[in-house]
Amino acid sequence: MIETTPFFFIATSYGDYTDCSMRSGMPGFVKIVAPGTIEFPEYDGNSMYRTLGNIKCNPSVGLLFVKFDGKTTRIRINGHATILDDAEALARHHAAKLVVRVECEMFSNCPRSVHDLEGGRLSAYLPHPGYEPPAPDWKSRDYIKNILPANDPYRRQGN
C-alpha cells in the first residue's frame, strides 16, 4: 500500500505549532528504501515550507496512509525524518527538490471507520441516532476478547 499510494497525510510540529498536510504524487513516489525506512520527494509547492521547517526543528513526524475503499487497513507511521539534498537521494525521486527520509515504526489500523468513498458508502460501523452498529470482526478474536475494556459491549461475558 505504501509504495502504490497516490497520497498520504503527514503531521509535524515545532514548539506549540502543529501542522498536518497532504503529500501526493504518482503511485510509487513513496519508496521503502530499507527495513523501517521510507523516502518521499518534496516537489515544488507553495514555498511556505511548514512541513520541512518543522522537520528541521523537530524531526518527529506522523504519517497516515489510507485508502478510502472501506476495507483496506490504514497504515500509521511514527518516526524521525531527515531532509536529504544529495545527488544520490535526488536521483531516486523524479523531479524532487529535496527528499524526506523517515526512520519509522509502522502500525496498521482497523479500517472499521473508514468510509467507502469509491463506492459512495459511509462506514456501517459508525453510530448514529436510531442505529446500533455491528460488532467489528476483530473484537471477536480470542486474543482480543478478554482485554477489551470492561464496559465494551463485545467483551467476553463473565470477565
Side-chain angles (χ1 to χ4, degrees):
M1 178 178 175
I2 291 171
E3 291 187 307
T4 61
T5 192
F7 71 93
F8 67 92
F9 300 97
I10 182 168
T12 60
S13 65
Y14 175 64
D16 291 338
Y17 178 77
T18 301
D19 188 63
C20 183
S21 63
M22 186 175 84
R23 292 294 184 265
S24 60
M26 296 301 293
F29 83 107
V30 180
K31 299 183 185 325
I32 299 172
V33 295
T37 307
I38 66 169
E39 288 183 354
F40 61 89
E42 185 67 24
Y43 296 130
D44 184 42
N46 62 12
S47 298
M48 293 179 73
Y49 299 105
R50 289 182 177 175
T51 301
L52 294 180
N54 286 347
I55 289 170
K56 185 174 169 91
C57 296
N58 176 4
S60 297
V61 296
L63 286 70
L64 178 64
F65 292 79
V66 61
K67 184 174 180 182
F68 292 102
D69 63 1
K71 60 185 177 227
T72 302
T73 300
R74 293 171 287 186
I75 298 175
R76 289 181 15 206
I77 293 178
N78 296 325
H80 290 87
T82 54
I83 300 168
L84 307 175
D85 63 358
D86 62 279
E88 186 178 325
L90 293 169
R92 284 191 296 272
H93 300 276
H94 177 73
K97 291 177 73 174
L98 298 165
V99 172
V100 178
R101 175 178 280 189
V102 181
E103 305 282 336
C104 53
E105 294 181 290
M106 297 179 195
F107 306 89
S108 63
N109 272 121
C110 160
R112 172 172 84 152
S113 297
V114 177
H115 301 301
D116 177 4
L117 298 181
E118 294 173 358
R121 293 179 296 277
L122 299 179
S123 173
Y125 295 101
L126 299 175
H128 52 275
Y131 176 75
E132 183 67 30
D137 292 339
W138 64 268
K139 285 192 174 191
S140 66
R141 295 179 185 152
D142 288 337
Y143 66 95
I144 295 287
K145 286 192 269 188
N146 292 326
I147 61 171
L148 292 172
N151 63 348
D152 190 295
Y154 306 108
R155 183 179 168 95
R156 181 176 283 167
Q157 298 298 320
N159 292 327

